[in-house]
Amino acid sequence: MKHIFFSLFALLFLAACSSNENRTINEDVAAFVESNPQISVFGSIDAKTILDKAEYKSIDKFGESIDKEMKTIESILNFDTPIYFAMDGTLDAQGNPGIIYAFAEVKNRASLTSNIQKRGFDIDKGTDFNFHESGDVAFGITDKRAVFVIKEGLTDGKKLVEEAIASLKEDTPDNKVTEILNQKADIVLGVDVEASFLGTLSKLKMEEDKKTELTEMLAGSYTQMTVSFEKGAIDLKSTNYFSDGLKKWMMFGNNSSKMLAQLGSGSPRAGIIVDFDMKKLQKFMDKYAPNALSEIGKQGGGQVQMGLAFAGEEGLAGLWTGKFGAVMMGNTDADGSFKPEFNYQVGLGKGILTLAKGMLDGMKGNVAKMSLKGNTLTAYSSELYMPGKGGLKLPRGCENFGKKPVSGFVSFDGLDLSSMDLEEGKEFVEMLDYMIFEMDAEGAHFYLKSKNNKDNILKQVVDQAMKKLEVNIKNS
């Protein structure tokens, strides 16, 4: 009987050991992220799918050579799996990430090494991995993985690569890291909220018990972002996976729909609504960063200090309630000129309210109507778009404007671009139909729609870029 139990135990042990050898690359990267608590950002880029959506093979004069290069890459790397990345949350003096890592799945270690050597790179061949280091970049190649390390002023590349390779072999966590890395999209991004603030927390002048409390509150909180390139659109979605303690401090208001009703009538070309709870923000700062405002004043200089002087006891909430809404109206005249008109509403804090009342008469001459009710300032630059004329008629695709605490849109259809400084990108903006953005405590959504619904937006961008290149060549 003892032999049976021993055999079963040995079988389970061997199965557990061998499972790490046969894992997918996203499981390995999840193990790496979990083993390195300083990693703040991680994710993947599905390079092959992105290139296919751009229809790179059809690019005139370049497609054939790109395709040839792609076939070489696909013979040595598994391009059917995404390229994964991770970034150290520790920032340098310039605000750049401390270390950037990238991971790819290797098909043939010897062929990959040989191909890199042919391109002029020196490779030190080792038993566990082949290695190269030059400048700010180092990489190692094992039988299964290629690991890249990028760090400004890199001096310990081999050590970092060796440690990264070892971390890939750790146990895969059963948490949000693995769940995020399992997402299918052209680009996937995960943010470890706690790791993102580790460097900042160490520099804050905060009592140690408050630092501990804040660190515990941030633990286990993540934000997931996915980017998909579609026919005629870019679709970006983010989802927050926050701890209960962090959720309690979410500073979004709930009056965006009320603001929308006060933004007049007509067909707006663009709009934005912001509804934050500034009192909650100030309460958070008072608890965890009581010296933040004075530090902001010191860094900003005299003008910032003067502005903060109006804040009063309510702090930032004394300057602004957190509520702001505006829409841009206007029509194109027969001569092609476009005169924008604006309707807007802003909530003024108590500290600045007296000053605003004194300036109100001087401001009224620039608009058709302006009123201050309580602490809410509302203005309309033209009588054509004042309330009481049927309300706002939002453009197609932008109907959700104002339904989230933060939302915005731009309708490019018929929008005059001549007054905008778009010399280097006007042709790309002219491709667009509309853009929408919305955000609340659960996450955010950004959607960019082009006028062409048939082709993937990446192909449209590539085609437009090639047309621009041909024009530049002809004019050079």
Side-chain angles (χ1 to χ4, degrees), residues 11 164 189 203 217 348 370 395:
L11 183 63
L189 188 72
K203 298 175 184 177
M217 183 176 67
L348 304 176
M370 178 176 287

Side-chain angles (χ1 to χ4, degrees), residues 44-61:
S44 65
I45 300 174
D46 192 343
K48 184 176 186 297
T49 298
I50 290 173
L51 288 169
D52 287 342
K53 288 182 175 182
E55 298 186 25
Y56 69 93
K57 294 180 183 179
S58 65
I59 300 175
D60 187 34
K61 300 176 183 178

Side-chain angles (χ1 to χ4, degrees), residues 106-309:
V106 174
K107 277 186 177 180
N108 190 307
R109 175 177 171 178
S111 296
L112 177 56
T113 300
S114 176
N115 190 276
I116 291 173
Q117 287 177 316
K118 288 177 182 178
R119 296 167 189 264
F121 293 93
D122 294 327
I123 301 291
D124 295 331
K125 295 183 180 179
T127 303
D128 296 328
F129 62 91
N130 300 341
F131 176 75
H132 168 83
E133 180 175 355
S134 61
D136 297 336
V137 179
F139 59 81
I141 303 169
T142 73
D143 293 336
K144 295 179 63 178
R145 306 287 181 247
V147 178
F148 296 81
V149 174
I150 304 169
K151 179 184 178 182
E152 188 172 350
L154 182 66
T155 57
D156 52 351
K158 191 164 188 176
K159 178 186 176 184
L160 290 172
V161 168
E162 192 170 15
E163 290 173 348
I165 290 172
S167 295
L168 292 172
K169 299 175 183 178
E170 296 292 337
D171 292 335
T172 300
D174 182 18
N175 62 9
K176 285 298 176 184
V177 174
T178 301
E179 183 178 325
I180 291 171
L181 289 172
N182 283 337
Q183 295 297 311
K184 302 297 182 184
D186 297 328
I187 300 174
V188 175
L189 188 72
V191 178
D192 184 327
V193 179
E194 179 187 3
S196 298
F197 283 91
L198 282 177
T200 304
L201 284 174
S202 64
K203 298 175 184 177
L204 288 177
K205 296 178 181 178
M206 185 187 301
E207 296 175 3
E208 288 302 318
D209 61 331
K210 294 298 182 183
K211 283 187 180 181
T212 301
E213 183 181 334
L214 189 56
T215 301
E216 291 175 352
M217 183 176 67
L218 297 174
S221 297
Y222 295 88
T223 292
Q224 169 191 295
M225 182 185 299
T226 60
V227 182
S228 299
F229 300 103
E230 303 173 349
K231 287 186 176 181
I234 299 175
D235 193 6
L236 185 156
K237 297 176 181 176
S238 74
T239 305
N240 296 328
Y241 301 105
F242 290 165
S243 67
D244 291 340
L246 187 55
K247 286 179 181 178
K248 292 178 181 178
W249 284 109
M250 288 293 97
M251 300 158 194
F252 294 99
N254 54 12
N255 291 310
S256 55
S257 58
K258 184 177 180 181
M259 272 192 286
L260 180 65
Q262 300 298 318
L263 290 180
S265 59
S267 301
R269 303 300 186 92
I272 182 170
I273 280 180
V274 177
D275 187 8
F276 289 130
D277 187 337
M278 296 299 288
K279 289 184 178 180
K280 184 180 283 189
L281 173 59
Q282 188 60 50
K283 187 178 179 180
F284 180 88
M285 293 174 64
D286 290 341
K287 183 173 183 179
Y288 295 108
N291 300 315
L293 283 184
S294 61
E295 289 297 323
I296 292 172
K298 290 178 183 178
Q299 296 293 327
Q303 290 184 334
V304 174
Q305 291 176 17
M306 185 177 294
L308 291 174

